[in-house]
Amino acid sequence: RRQRQMCIRDRSSWTITHNFGTRNVVVTVYQNSGSYQEVKTTITRPTVNTVVISVAFAVGANAYNYMLQQVG
């Protein structure tokens, strides 16, 4: 299994290049402080090597983390 993890910030959408060569990926976004709750997002998979994470509004620096994992 391959995975990635990183902070995301300063926008309302992010394109993540994972280079897994598949759309079979799971993405989880969560707060980077406080209760570390998962965040409601829209995830799209425009190519076999990228995902786009979108939230309703722009967030501050280092507000969210994401975890991305190849499945299957």
Side-chain angles (χ1 to χ4, degrees):
R1 258 188 311 187
R2 294 189 286 180
Q3 54 192 11
R4 303 261 189 274
Q5 181 176 346
M6 185 177 288
C7 285
I8 52 180
R9 59 181 180 255
D10 297 334
R11 285 180 259 156
S12 60
S13 75
W14 306 269
T15 299
I16 310 297
T17 301
H18 53 73
N19 292 320
F20 293 163
T22 181
R23 286 186 169 91
N24 294 336
V25 295
V26 174
V27 181
T28 302
V29 179
Y30 62 94
Q31 294 173 337
N32 197 27
S33 63
S35 63
Y36 297 88
Q37 291 181 14
E38 286 189 24
V39 177
K40 184 175 181 175
T41 61
T42 299
I43 306 294
T44 57
R45 295 162 180 85
T47 75
V48 296
N49 290 311
T50 61
V51 297
V52 177
I53 302 170
S54 300
V55 294
F57 54 89
V59 298
N62 299 317
Y64 295 156
N65 279 342
Y66 76 86
M67 295 182 296
L68 187 146
Q69 186 172 25
Q70 179 183 348
V71 296

